[in-house]
Amino acid sequence: MTVDFAQPRAVEKKKINFANLGVGAVMNMIEVTTLGQPFEVIKTHLAANRQDSMVTAFKKIYERGGIRGFYQGLIPWAWIEASTKGAVLIFAASEIEHVALATGVSPFSAGLIGGMGGGLAQAYTTMGFCTFMKTVEITRHKATGAAAQQSTFQVASEIFKREGIRGINKGVNAVALRQCTNWGSRLGLSRLAEESIRKMRGKDQGDLAKLPLNAWEKIAASAIGGGLSVWNQPIEVIRVEMQSQLKTAGRPEKMTIAKCAKWIWQTNGLKGFYRGTVPRFGLGMWQTICMVAGGDALKKYVNERYGK
């Protein structure tokens, strides 16, 4: 990563674009309602039930509710989370990335900084409660047959009465660490992939450098950035374990990131930190395609049509 502050690149000064809040909300809603939530459910199940294989996870999820089992937690928590965190991510990341480019850093560095800032912003402003409740819904015991089943709001209310604000935001620091590394990697590596594609296609010289990448090139770059960002899976496993409602003998009651990491190491060893990597690889690719390639395309459309 090279930074040259002596010759800042010419980046047009712009007003803060609040339309990006809407762009982020729309793209994140599309992402989670299509492939996002099934990948999330499989990934979370494997991270919480680290003894299960992929096949076992599919069977158990399907037994819980058929195809609808793969969308467990979508309504209302994933929708609430997606509409709010997507808005915050695109807005914050776009503004930070623009300022970073103006200082003269490379597109990779600007994307990395913008993604990290956007990830932290969404974690602490909107994600804590919703991410926790999604994990609760996926990991809590579900009554079957004629047995009474608590609604998701009853569960949230009980946790709040028992543990207060901290209880319903349990694991938020792990969420913040995950989102910071997630979107720093995804946005930064996507921008790096875009630059590499430009060089491979001869679009980095002269007037060609001003031409935007086509849709397939943007999608490919986003898929590469999203897939490679799976390196931080141990953080995600720790986050899931901290928020899990599964009852296991010997499991510490009050989890910190350090205690949680120690518990996972004691019970599952090194491989325990990488449970759910395969579905998260797919999730990372799909989220990045939607939020980076799709987000860039929608931002361009909105700015061209409504910018003035």
Side-chain angles (χ1 to χ4, degrees):
M1 185 190 308
T2 59
V3 180
D4 181 11
F5 291 101
Q7 296 180 338
R9 65 179 63 215
V11 178
E12 183 184 354
K13 186 177 181 180
K14 67 181 185 68
K15 294 181 179 179
I16 294 175
N17 192 350
F18 291 101
N20 285 336
L21 290 168
V23 170
V26 169
M27 292 311 303
N28 218 165
M29 285 290 285
I30 292 172
E31 176 272 319
V32 75
T33 307
T34 51
L35 297 177
Q37 191 63 12
F39 277 131
E40 180 75 24
V41 170
I42 298 166
K43 174 203 71 175
T44 301
H45 179 97
L46 287 170
N49 302 271
R50 292 183 293 277
Q51 74 285 353
D52 286 358
S53 66
M54 183 75 77
V55 174
T56 303
F58 268 89
K59 286 181 178 178
K60 287 184 177 180
I61 294 168
Y62 188 80
E63 287 171 359
R64 283 205 298 261
I67 296 299
R68 293 177 66 181
F70 291 90
Y71 287 89
Q72 198 170 356
L74 177 66
I75 303 172
W77 307 117
W79 274 3
I80 296 171
E81 181 191 67
S83 60
T84 53
K85 79 171 184 177
V88 171
L89 173 70
I90 294 294
F91 175 74
S94 295
E95 298 302 324
I96 295 170
E97 187 177 16
H98 182 85
V99 172
L101 282 171
T103 67
V105 302
S106 67
F108 165 70
S109 301
L112 181 68
I113 296 167
M116 290 174 68
L120 285 172
Q122 66 175 187
Y124 283 118
T125 57
T126 68
M127 285 187 67
F129 178 43
C130 293
T131 301
F132 173 63
M133 285 309 303
K134 279 198 309 179
T135 306
V136 168
E137 279 300 293
I138 295 168
T139 60
R140 73 182 174 107
H141 173 72
K142 294 295 182 81
T144 56
Q149 175 65 57
Q150 284 184 306
S151 73
T152 183
F153 290 105
Q154 287 175 323
V155 173
S157 178
E158 283 193 4
I159 294 171
F160 180 75
K161 289 176 183 177
R162 188 171 64 246
E163 302 177 52
I165 292 294
R166 286 192 174 188
I168 59 176
N169 279 282
K170 191 180 297 180
V172 69
N173 290 330
V175 172
L177 183 59
R178 182 196 71 173
Q179 292 306 101
C180 178
T181 52
N182 263 1
W183 287 107
S185 296
R186 289 173 181 175
L187 196 54
L189 292 173
S190 293
R191 299 306 186 212
L192 183 62
E194 288 175 10
E195 293 293 296
S196 300
I197 289 172
R198 280 189 175 282
K199 291 178 181 178
M200 289 171 58
R201 300 296 296 272
K203 292 184 176 182
D204 61 328
Q205 300 294 329
D207 291 337
L208 290 176
K210 299 178 182 178
L211 295 175
L213 297 179
N214 64 42
W216 290 110
E217 289 168 339
K218 292 283 290 186
I219 289 171
S222 296
I224 292 168
L228 292 178
S229 66
V230 78
W231 65 268
N232 69 350
Q233 180 64 10
I235 299 171
E236 172 64 356
V237 174
I238 290 170
R239 191 275 303 173
V240 171
E241 183 62 38
M242 289 180 73
Q243 297 180 334
S244 175
Q245 298 299 291
L246 296 177
K247 304 299 180 183
T248 307
R251 184 178 185 271
E253 284 295 323
K254 295 184 178 179
M255 284 280 197
T256 63
I257 292 177
K259 284 182 180 179
C260 189
K262 183 178 180 181
W263 167 249
I264 294 168
W265 177 267
Q266 289 174 341
T267 54
N268 299 98
L270 182 62
K271 67 179 182 180
F273 290 98
Y274 291 91
R275 299 297 295 155
T277 300
V278 173
R280 186 152 181 265
F281 183 82
L283 177 62
M285 291 179 67
W286 182 240
Q287 284 183 332
T288 312
I289 288 171
C290 289
M291 300 305 290
V292 179
D296 285 352
L298 188 55
K299 280 190 293 184
K300 181 181 177 183
Y301 172 79
V302 170
N303 287 334
E304 288 177 351
R305 179 130 189 205
Y306 304 105
K308 295 182 181 180

